[in-house]
Amino acid sequence: MPVLHNRVSNEELRARMLAETEPRTTISFYKYFTIEEPQATRDALYQLFLSLNVFGRVYLAHEGINAQISVPESRVEAFREALFAFHPALNNLRLNIALEDDGKSFWVLRMKVRDRIVADGIDDPTFDASDVGEYLKAADVNAMLDDPSAVFIDMRNHYEYEVGHFEDAVEIPADTFREQLPKAVDMMQDDKDKKIVMYCTGGIRCEKASAWMRHNGFKNVYHIEGGIIEYARRAREQGLPVRFVGKNFVFDERMGERISDDVIAHCHQCGTPCDSHTNCKNDGCHLLFIQCPACAEKFSGCCSEVCRDELALSPEEQRRRRAGRENGNKIFNKSRGMLNTTLGIPDPEK
């Protein structure tokens, strides 16, 4: 039986990816559809992706599939054809192609079965995730932005909104998608007669959110087809004004795609205009935060003097200090003055 998971160290895999000479294309896609046997589907899809040298992060559940991957440039068409033929629900699936792509977004294929492809916290058997709002294409989005009866709702996390968002979009102050859903309903109660436009990075969160708003009595609900990625791509292709301001946070090694030249965020250490996310170089911290080049040099890529000084210690002393200390990646939340624990680079399903 073929090996259905990776057995090589991350360090070696990353070195192999960086040594590749063929360019890669970063692609994201999702689809809500019923998967009767997620584990068997996962195993078959893993072998297919492995045969095409695909890297990335893929989640499957009974409710569907969610993927962020990179594919060798010469195999993109073969991948497209294989994916479309894999299951009838995936035929002609929209693939979101990265806007800014250095081909170094992933270096290993990780494919997991989960309870949900988007952790939503919904425990209501009457909820129909397929009863979604109306799709908006790029031109429709721009028209809605000029419509005084429309309210744009950003269904991404605070660190995503901080570096870029649509003009006058409402931020839902929460750290996870499951927290945002009930808050969005509560915050919009006085605007039930307005047009509610929901958006996110690639469409997966706002599509489910639009169904949740409809489930809670909102009638005029819309969501941007393909999210920010597809909107920006189509607007540029059609010569339309791109109304998203700043950078689009993405869930891979790049941590962001430039949409407009505007820098609307600030370095979390010195306050200078900056929208480049990074992880603290100290393995005992790995805080996700925004850091300018000057502070990166001053703090050796760390989030604080404490982490910088710890990073300068011998590996043995660093391990000794970390022993017994709760670790994991943390997220800087300036609005709440705290660190929020998550795992690795922030998970797109949160």
Side-chain angles (χ1 to χ4, degrees), residues 24-224:
R24 283 180 168 268
T25 300
T26 300
I27 300 171
S28 61
F29 64 87
Y30 72 91
K31 178 72 175 181
Y32 288 107
F33 69 105
T34 301
I35 300 179
E36 297 293 346
E37 298 183 6
Q39 186 61 50
T41 302
R42 178 266 176 206
D43 292 347
L45 200 62
Y46 185 91
Q47 293 185 71
L48 174 63
F49 281 19
L50 205 63
S51 70
L52 294 168
N53 198 23
V54 172
F55 297 156
R57 178 196 294 122
V58 184
Y59 298 137
L60 294 98
H62 284 293
E63 69 173 359
I65 184 171
N66 178 25
Q68 297 84 40
I69 60 173
S70 76
V71 184
E73 204 170 73
S74 65
R75 299 188 179 185
V76 169
E77 285 308 311
F79 167 79
R80 189 190 305 268
E81 292 175 5
L83 182 68
F84 289 176
F86 184 80
H87 190 285
L90 301 178
N91 187 33
N92 292 321
L93 179 68
R94 183 188 65 250
L95 302 181
N96 290 334
I97 308 298
L99 301 173
E100 290 186 337
D101 193 8
D102 60 4
K104 309 300 182 184
S105 51
F106 298 99
W107 62 82
V108 65
L109 176 61
R110 302 192 190 281
M111 193 174 293
K112 298 180 180 180
V113 172
R114 292 192 165 181
D115 292 335
R116 303 279 180 91
I117 56 173
V118 177
D120 52 36
I122 296 173
D123 187 20
D124 184 343
T126 67
F127 172 61
D128 181 4
S130 67
D131 184 21
V132 300
E134 184 178 338
Y135 278 124
L136 294 179
K137 297 186 181 297
D140 304 320
V141 173
N142 285 0
M144 281 287 196
L145 284 165
D146 293 326
D147 187 339
S149 66
V151 180
F152 276 64
I153 308 298
D154 195 311
M155 293 306 298
R156 301 172 304 148
N157 301 326
H158 69 91
Y159 52 87
E160 301 172 77
Y161 183 94
E162 184 177 13
V163 296
H165 48 260
F166 280 100
E167 302 167 7
D168 300 321
V170 175
E171 178 185 10
I172 306 298
D175 297 319
T176 65
F177 182 66
R178 68 172 69 225
E179 294 173 335
Q180 284 182 317
L181 287 174
K183 283 192 175 185
V185 171
D186 291 342
M187 290 174 63
M188 293 298 110
Q189 283 301 317
D190 293 336
D191 295 310
K192 277 203 167 183
D193 294 333
K194 291 189 175 182
K195 300 170 184 175
I196 305 297
V197 181
M198 318 198 84
Y199 72 90
C200 58
T201 306
I204 187 169
R205 286 175 284 181
C206 56
E207 182 162 326
K208 179 171 280 190
S210 73
W212 182 246
M213 296 298 278
R214 287 178 55 80
H215 180 73
N216 282 275
F218 291 81
K219 304 300 182 184
N220 301 312
V221 183
Y222 304 82
H223 59 114
I224 298 178

Side-chain angles (χ1 to χ4, degrees), residues 9 63 168-169 272 304 333:
S9 71
E63 69 173 359
D168 300 321
T272 191
S304 64
N333 188 336

